[in-house]
Amino acid sequence: MLTIENLQVSVEKKQILKGLSLAVQAGEVHAIMGPNGSGKSTLANVLAGREGYEVTSGIIKYDDQDIFDLAPEERARKGIFLAFQYPVEIPGVNNIYLLKAAVNAVRVHRGEPELDAVDFLKIVREKMQLVKMDESLLNRSVNEGFSGGEKKRNEIFQMAVLEPRLAILDETDSGLDIDALKIVAEGVNTLRNENRAIVLVTHYQRLLEYIVPDQVHVLSDGRIIKSGDRGLAIELEEKGYDWIKQEARAA
Amino acid sequence: MSEAAVSHYLTEFDRFKNNRLSDWLPKQRADALEYLQSNGFPTRKREKWKYTDVSPITRRKFTLGPATPEAVDGGFIDTLRFSGLDCHDLVFINGGFSENLSRAGNLPDEVTARSLASVKSENPALPERFLTGPGEEIDHAFTALNIVFLNDGALIHIPDGTQVPAPIHVIYATDKNTESIMSHPRNLIVLGRQARATIIETYAGGEDTEYFTNSRTQILCQDSAQLDYYKIQQEGHRAFHIGNTKIRQQRNSRIDCHSLSLGGSLARSDIDVELDEPGAEINLNGLYLANNRQHIDNHTLIEHKQPHTVSNEHYRGVMGGRARAVFNGKVIVHEQAQKTQAHQSNANLLLSGNAEVDTKPELEIYADDVKCSHGATVGRLDENMLFYLRTRALDKDTAKSLLIYAFADEVIRNIKLPELRKRLEYNVVGELPDTDLIKGFMK
């Protein structure tokens, strides 16, 4: 579903990704781990189409289509979803209205009829259960005044309603206490299925205790230096990132 | 330039002298004429006019127009009314009262909400008390002109203890068919002790004609009165508007004021507030939208004269094209006004590289036990917000339009009457780009 080959990306002339390759199939969950500054968030943002990142070489293919020239909204309509590390507060924009507009933009793109208010609310109520979201948050401004945990839940709730084919979760575990982490992880697990791919970007392996990935990749200095299964994450937890960097240098 | 303008208005005054009201308040008129002749029109050398050049007004020759209802069509006036709200509409055409277009609302008998000219003919004592008292100082040539051409306007008197559920809506519309009409509306609003009312002033006119509105409003709220006051300036985009509202508040009175500046080629709105007695409170909300080459100036002055007075001021502006906006908010806390709370903020959103805003908060605090704050921001659309919305499948234009609307709506959303809020949101949205894209977001 997602194929990245030799991706090189610069931000303000500074090269961040230095030849990253990754292949994710439908139905799989991949974890991208790495120390601060390794390029994890850059990867997430580039996949979602954020401006300000200069792709100097390489290919990103989604469903066999090169997505370089697609705007963020076009990617979203094709089923790519980014759950933000820092969900943005947008005063004055109603949370539920935004979600309805998003759902209908995706549906129109797929050639499906727009949902009316009744059908939409039915879906909303069902999906709110997934992340145990408080109904009072629906009619607030997007993320405004939400606690850290509420913001992250709202992201997963949006994901549940939008039903993306490729979900990129950028540090979804950061800032969550253990209870909130469990709820968010359960929500994500419910959304796992054979048609959907999920990429978890994370610093710590804590999240991976609850969402067990099919593959783990270690990102360091703009490249994936090691890939493995869940065992790699546990090894990282025990030995830290230095061990693996040294191994990579030796090789 | 200014001398030519003064002499034009003097000539115009000679023509006006035949009017039935022209002999009213002869001393005030003589003083105003005298002021005009000796001072002329303000130039940018005067601090209060530093960012606003009035020569586009003074080099044109505006004349008084007939107050005939035929000058506008009734359909236009209907677009200005608040449907769904039982209002008492006072309609003025070219500055003169139109009985035909006005509509009586459900007002208590003891309330006066009428044309100033008609009240004067029956009982001149009430208006005269206010037209010769405090609040009538001449600040500049435009306030002088308003006195010189004093002819009509709204006189609203809510006696002690009277609550008026129906909003009183004063509509000033200028001729759509004749160029260069001027009008000098004058409103007097008095709320007695514990009186409550909602009063709306709307200024509008044709989109395709040049005209000039030079309005003046005086408001007095006596002990514990509560007023919701709206000024909606939605003049045509070739029009000129100079407006001045003077507010005096007595003990424990409260005013919630919303000032919307949406139209006009060159428009200035001044609101001066005196919190004269303890416990007086004003909440002053403003929104200005300017596009193309519009020039919109808002000046406010709040004077805390006694202890325990409160002011909360919040103005927002959105500027696109080559528009220019000015915000000047002055707050004076006098020496005896201990325990004052005065908070002011001004936020500006620039949509183009050629749009400009000059914002200037001025706090003068002479008391030592006060809580005061102020802040001004000028920014562009937030890239993080835009990106977030786009990752939620909204296209760029919709996302932009939504963020602009959300920014402006911060001022509108706390309007209490839902019918009023909806209509004003609609008016505001009409002035914003690509708003057909965001209909699904309107409450």
Coordinates of all heavy atoms in Angstrom, one line a residue, chain B residues 388-427:
Chain B
Y388 N -3.7 21.5 9.4 CA -4.6 20.6 10.2 C -5.9 20.4 9.5 O -6.4 19.3 9.2 CB -4.8 21.1 11.6 CG -5.5 20.1 12.5 CD1 -4.8 19.1 13.2 CD2 -6.9 20.1 12.7 CE1 -5.4 18.2 14.0 CE2 -7.5 19.2 13.5 CZ -6.8 18.3 14.2 OH -7.4 17.4 15.0
L389 N -6.5 21.5 9.1 CA -7.8 21.4 8.4 C -7.7 20.7 7.1 O -8.6 19.9 6.7 CB -8.4 22.8 8.2 CG -8.8 23.6 9.4 CD1 -9.2 25.0 9.1 CD2 -10.0 22.8 10.1
R390 N -6.6 20.9 6.4 CA -6.4 20.2 5.1 C -6.2 18.7 5.2 O -6.6 18.0 4.4 CB -5.2 20.9 4.3 CG -5.6 22.4 3.9 CD -4.4 23.0 3.2 NE -4.3 22.6 1.8 CZ -3.3 22.9 1.1 NH1 -2.3 23.6 1.5 NH2 -3.3 22.4 -0.2
T391 N -5.5 18.3 6.3 CA -5.4 16.9 6.5 C -6.7 16.3 6.9 O -6.9 15.1 6.9 CB -4.4 16.5 7.7 OG1 -4.9 17.1 8.9 CG2 -3.0 17.1 7.4
R392 N -7.7 17.1 7.2 CA -9.0 16.6 7.5 C -9.9 16.8 6.2 O -11.1 17.0 6.3 CB -9.7 17.3 8.7 CG -9.0 17.0 10.0 CD -8.4 15.7 10.2 NE -7.8 15.4 11.5 CZ -6.6 14.9 11.6 NH1 -5.8 14.7 10.6 NH2 -6.1 14.6 12.8
A393 N -9.2 16.8 5.1 CA -9.9 16.8 3.7 C -10.5 18.1 3.3 O -11.2 18.1 2.2 CB -10.9 15.6 3.7
L394 N -10.3 19.2 4.0 CA -10.9 20.4 3.6 C -9.9 21.1 2.6 O -8.7 21.1 2.8 CB -11.1 21.4 4.7 CG -12.5 21.4 5.4 CD1 -12.8 20.0 5.9 CD2 -12.5 22.4 6.5
D395 N -10.4 21.5 1.4 CA -9.5 22.2 0.5 C -9.0 23.5 1.0 O -9.6 24.0 2.0 CB -10.2 22.3 -0.9 CG -11.3 23.2 -0.8 OD1 -11.1 24.5 -0.8 OD2 -12.5 22.8 -0.8
K396 N -8.0 24.0 0.4 CA -7.3 25.2 0.9 C -8.2 26.4 1.0 O -8.2 27.1 2.1 CB -6.1 25.5 0.0 CG -5.1 26.4 0.6 CD -3.9 26.5 -0.4 CE -2.8 27.4 0.2 NZ -1.6 27.5 -0.7
D397 N -9.0 26.6 0.0 CA -9.9 27.8 0.1 C -10.9 27.7 1.2 O -11.2 28.7 1.9 CB -10.6 28.0 -1.3 CG -9.7 28.5 -2.3 OD1 -8.6 29.0 -2.0 OD2 -10.0 28.4 -3.5
T398 N -11.5 26.5 1.3 CA -12.4 26.3 2.4 C -11.8 26.5 3.8 O -12.3 27.1 4.7 CB -13.1 24.9 2.3 OG1 -13.6 24.7 1.0 CG2 -14.1 24.7 3.4
A399 N -10.6 25.9 3.9 CA -9.9 26.0 5.2 C -9.6 27.5 5.5 O -9.8 27.9 6.7 CB -8.6 25.2 5.1
K400 N -9.1 28.2 4.5 CA -8.8 29.6 4.8 C -10.1 30.4 5.2 O -10.1 31.2 6.1 CB -8.3 30.3 3.5 CG -6.8 30.1 3.3 CD -6.4 30.9 2.1 CE -4.9 30.7 1.9 NZ -4.4 31.4 0.6
S401 N -11.1 30.2 4.4 CA -12.4 30.9 4.6 C -12.9 30.6 6.0 O -13.4 31.5 6.8 CB -13.4 30.5 3.6 OG -14.6 31.1 3.8
L402 N -12.8 29.3 6.4 CA -13.3 28.9 7.7 C -12.5 29.6 8.8 O -13.1 30.0 9.8 CB -13.1 27.4 7.8 CG -13.7 26.7 9.0 CD1 -15.2 27.0 9.2 CD2 -13.5 25.2 8.9
L403 N -11.2 29.7 8.7 CA -10.4 30.3 9.7 C -10.7 31.8 9.8 O -10.7 32.3 10.9 CB -8.9 30.1 9.4 CG -8.4 28.6 9.6 CD1 -6.9 28.5 9.3 CD2 -8.6 28.1 11.0
I404 N -10.9 32.4 8.7 CA -11.2 33.9 8.7 C -12.6 34.1 9.4 O -12.7 34.9 10.3 CB -11.3 34.4 7.3 CG1 -9.9 34.3 6.6 CG2 -11.7 35.9 7.3 CD1 -10.0 34.5 5.1
Y405 N -13.5 33.2 9.0 CA -14.8 33.3 9.7 C -14.7 33.1 11.2 O -15.3 33.8 12.0 CB -15.8 32.3 9.0 CG -17.0 32.0 9.8 CD1 -18.0 32.9 9.9 CD2 -17.1 30.8 10.6 CE1 -19.2 32.7 10.6 CE2 -18.3 30.6 11.3 CZ -19.3 31.5 11.3 OH -20.4 31.3 12.1
A406 N -14.0 32.1 11.6 CA -13.8 31.7 13.0 C -13.2 32.9 13.7 O -13.6 33.2 14.9 CB -13.0 30.5 13.2
F407 N -12.2 33.6 13.1 CA -11.6 34.7 13.7 C -12.6 35.8 14.0 O -12.7 36.4 15.1 CB -10.4 35.2 12.8 CG -9.7 36.4 13.3 CD1 -8.6 36.2 14.2 CD2 -10.1 37.7 13.0 CE1 -7.9 37.3 14.6 CE2 -9.4 38.8 13.4 CZ -8.3 38.6 14.3
A408 N -13.4 36.2 12.9 CA -14.3 37.3 13.0 C -15.5 36.9 14.0 O -16.0 37.7 14.7 CB -14.9 37.6 11.7
D409 N -15.8 35.6 14.0 CA -17.0 35.2 14.8 C -16.7 35.3 16.3 O -17.7 35.3 17.1 CB -17.3 33.7 14.4 CG -18.7 33.4 14.8 OD1 -19.7 34.2 14.6 OD2 -18.9 32.3 15.4
E410 N -15.5 35.4 16.7 CA -15.2 35.6 18.1 C -15.9 36.8 18.7 O -16.3 36.8 19.8 CB -13.7 35.8 18.3 CG -12.9 34.5 18.1 CD -12.8 33.6 19.3 OE1 -12.3 34.1 20.3 OE2 -13.2 32.5 19.2
V411 N -16.1 37.8 17.8 CA -16.8 39.0 18.3 C -18.3 38.8 18.2 O -19.0 39.3 19.1 CB -16.4 40.2 17.4 CG1 -17.2 41.5 17.8 CG2 -14.9 40.5 17.5
I412 N -18.8 38.1 17.2 CA -20.2 38.0 17.0 C -20.9 36.9 17.9 O -22.0 37.1 18.4 CB -20.5 37.5 15.6 CG1 -19.8 38.4 14.6 CG2 -22.0 37.5 15.3 CD1 -20.4 39.7 14.4
R413 N -20.1 35.9 18.3 CA -20.7 34.7 18.9 C -21.3 35.0 20.3 O -22.1 34.3 20.8 CB -19.7 33.6 19.0 CG -18.6 33.8 20.0 CD -17.4 33.0 19.5 NE -17.3 31.7 20.1 CZ -16.2 30.9 20.2 NH1 -15.1 31.3 19.6 NH2 -16.3 29.8 20.8
N414 N -20.8 36.1 20.9 CA -21.4 36.4 22.3 C -22.6 37.4 22.2 O -23.0 37.9 23.3 CB -20.3 36.8 23.3 CG -19.4 37.9 22.7 OD1 -19.7 38.4 21.6 ND2 -18.4 38.2 23.4
I415 N -23.1 37.6 21.0 CA -24.3 38.4 21.0 C -25.5 37.6 21.5 O -25.7 36.4 21.1 CB -24.6 38.9 19.5 CG1 -23.5 39.9 19.1 CG2 -26.0 39.4 19.4 CD1 -23.6 40.3 17.6
K416 N -26.3 38.2 22.4 CA -27.2 37.4 23.1 C -28.4 37.0 22.3 O -28.8 35.8 22.4 CB -27.7 38.2 24.4 CG -26.7 38.2 25.5 CD -27.1 39.1 26.6 CE -26.2 40.4 26.6 NZ -26.6 41.4 27.5
L417 N -29.0 37.9 21.6 CA -30.2 37.5 20.8 C -29.9 36.7 19.6 O -29.2 37.1 18.7 CB -31.0 38.8 20.3 CG -31.7 39.6 21.4 CD1 -32.2 40.9 20.7 CD2 -32.9 38.8 21.9
P418 N -30.4 35.4 19.6 CA -30.0 34.6 18.5 C -30.3 35.1 17.1 O -29.6 35.0 16.1 CB -30.8 33.3 18.7 CG -31.4 33.4 20.1 CD -31.3 34.8 20.5
E419 N -31.5 35.7 17.0 CA -31.9 36.3 15.6 C -30.9 37.3 15.2 O -30.6 37.4 14.0 CB -33.3 36.9 15.7 CG -34.4 35.9 15.9 CD -34.6 35.6 17.4 OE1 -33.9 36.1 18.2 OE2 -35.6 34.9 17.7
L420 N -30.5 38.1 16.1 CA -29.6 39.2 15.9 C -28.2 38.6 15.5 O -27.6 39.0 14.5 CB -29.4 40.1 17.1 CG -28.9 41.5 16.9 CD1 -29.8 42.3 15.9 CD2 -29.0 42.2 18.3
R421 N -27.8 37.6 16.3 CA -26.5 37.0 16.0 C -26.4 36.4 14.7 O -25.5 36.6 13.9 CB -26.2 36.0 17.1 CG -24.8 35.4 17.1 CD -24.6 34.5 18.3 NE -25.5 33.4 18.3 CZ -26.3 33.1 19.4 NH1 -26.2 33.8 20.4 NH2 -27.1 32.1 19.3
K422 N -27.5 35.7 14.3 CA -27.5 35.0 13.0 C -27.4 36.0 11.9 O -26.7 35.8 10.9 CB -28.8 34.2 12.9 CG -28.7 32.8 13.4 CD -29.9 32.0 13.1 CE -29.9 30.8 14.1 NZ -31.3 30.3 14.3
R423 N -28.2 37.1 12.0 CA -28.2 38.1 10.9 C -26.9 38.8 10.8 O -26.4 39.0 9.7 CB -29.3 39.1 11.2 CG -30.3 39.3 10.0 CD -29.7 39.8 8.8 NE -29.3 41.1 8.8 CZ -30.1 42.2 8.9 NH1 -31.4 42.0 8.8 NH2 -29.7 43.4 9.0
L424 N -26.3 39.1 11.9 CA -25.0 39.7 11.9 C -23.9 38.8 11.4 O -23.0 39.2 10.6 CB -24.6 40.3 13.3 CG -25.6 41.4 13.7 CD1 -25.2 42.0 15.1 CD2 -25.6 42.6 12.7
E425 N -24.0 37.5 11.7 CA -23.1 36.5 11.2 C -23.2 36.5 9.7 O -22.2 36.5 8.9 CB -23.3 35.1 11.7 CG -22.7 34.9 13.0 CD -22.8 33.5 13.5 OE1 -23.7 32.8 13.1 OE2 -21.9 33.0 14.3
Y426 N -24.4 36.6 9.2 CA -24.7 36.6 7.8 C -24.1 37.8 7.1 O -23.5 37.7 6.1 CB -26.2 36.5 7.6 CG -26.7 36.5 6.2 CD1 -26.7 35.4 5.4 CD2 -27.2 37.7 5.6 CE1 -27.2 35.4 4.1 CE2 -27.6 37.8 4.3 CZ -27.6 36.6 3.6 OH -28.1 36.7 2.3
N427 N -24.3 39.0 7.8 CA -23.8 40.2 7.2 C -22.3 40.2 7.2 O -21.6 40.6 6.2 CB -24.1 41.4 8.1 CG -25.6 41.8 8.0 OD1 -26.3 41.1 7.3 ND2 -26.0 42.9 8.7

